[in-house]
């Protein structure tokens, strides 16, 4: 009896997997113009999706060419802010001449707090001025390297 129930749902599962596996096909030899119907943003923790849409330079109702350089410009605009990594823009679906987009990204980690141990308060305050970071700052590898360099230089000078 349970065996028959499973087989009755099998065609529905196959149909659902077929629909989700369909991809939008783009003819790279013949660029087409489309109107942007929607822009979804995923992967945000701290910022609003509207800010990311604005940073991208893409807007709903705008006419774009696919393939074209609109997506690379949008990714470059978002990347320049230094707040995100792993940025991609995907075509979710195309209906007639309307394209629906999804911007996927990861926000870089932010500093929640830091503490300096082993130094007197005055020396720790001097180091805080030297480090020059505050709660909520985006922490990149470049920022970590800058802090390491400044601290190493400071303690070498101090002997």
């Amino acid at each position: 009896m349970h065996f028959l129930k499973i087989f009755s749902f099998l065609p529905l599962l196959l149909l659902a997997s077929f629909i989700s596996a369909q991809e939008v096909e783009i003819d790279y030899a013949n660029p087409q113009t489309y109107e942007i119907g929607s822009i979804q943003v995923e992967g945000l923790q701290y910022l609003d999706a509207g800010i990311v849409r604005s940073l991208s330079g893409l807007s709903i109702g705008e006419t774009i060419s696919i393939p074209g350089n609109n997506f690379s410009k949008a990714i470059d605009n978002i990347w320049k802010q230094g707040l995100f990594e792993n940025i991609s823009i995907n075509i979710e679906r195309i209906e007639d001449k309307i394209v629906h987009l999804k911007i996927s990204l990861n926000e870089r980690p932010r500093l929640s707090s830091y503490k300096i141990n082993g130094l007197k308060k005055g020396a720790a305050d001097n180091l805080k001025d030297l480090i020059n970071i505050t709660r909520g700052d985006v922490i990149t590898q470049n920022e970590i390297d800058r802090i390491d360099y400044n601290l190493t230089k400071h303690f070498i000078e101090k002997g």
Side-chain angles (χ1 to χ4, degrees), residues 94-122:
I94 296 176
E95 300 168 343
D96 298 323
K97 287 298 212 171
I98 297 177
V99 64
H100 300 273
L101 306 174
K102 182 190 286 186
I103 300 174
S104 301
L105 43 79
N106 294 331
E107 287 189 58
R108 288 190 169 152
R110 293 179 182 258
L111 181 68
S112 60
S113 65
Y114 72 98
K115 186 176 181 182
I116 298 174
N117 293 324
L119 296 175
K120 294 181 181 178
K121 183 171 175 16

Side-chain angles (χ1 to χ4, degrees), residues 19-118:
I19 290 171
S20 65
Q22 289 180 344
E23 293 185 18
V24 177
E25 291 192 27
I26 303 297
D27 183 5
Y28 291 95
N30 300 313
Q32 301 288 318
T33 58
Y34 298 94
E35 179 182 335
I36 299 176
S38 67
I39 304 172
Q40 294 178 334
V41 181
E42 72 175 8
L44 293 177
Q45 294 178 345
Y46 304 106
L47 293 177
D48 182 54
I51 292 173
V52 174
R53 282 188 211 100
S54 177
L55 289 173
S56 74
L58 299 172
S59 59
I60 296 173
E62 176 184 358
T63 302
I64 61 171
S65 179
I66 299 176
N69 61 358
N70 299 317
F71 294 162
S72 60
K73 283 183 182 178
I75 290 171
D76 192 42
N77 290 341
I78 296 169
W79 184 261
K80 285 179 185 177
Q81 303 305 310
L83 302 173
F84 308 101
E85 51 193 15
N86 300 328
I87 304 166
S88 67
I89 300 177
N90 301 306
I91 298 172
E92 285 293 297
R93 67 186 185 282
I94 296 176
E95 300 168 343
D96 298 323
K97 287 298 212 171
I98 297 177
V99 64
H100 300 273
L101 306 174
K102 182 190 286 186
I103 300 174
S104 301
L105 43 79
N106 294 331
E107 287 189 58
R108 288 190 169 152
R110 293 179 182 258
L111 181 68
S112 60
S113 65
Y114 72 98
K115 186 176 181 182
I116 298 174
N117 293 324

Side-chain angles (χ1 to χ4, degrees), residues 133-148:
I133 56 174
T134 58
R135 185 173 187 258
D137 284 354
V138 174
I139 302 300
T140 62
Q141 187 60 46
N142 188 39
E143 188 70 15
I144 293 169
D145 292 344
R146 181 192 64 80
I147 292 168
D148 182 45

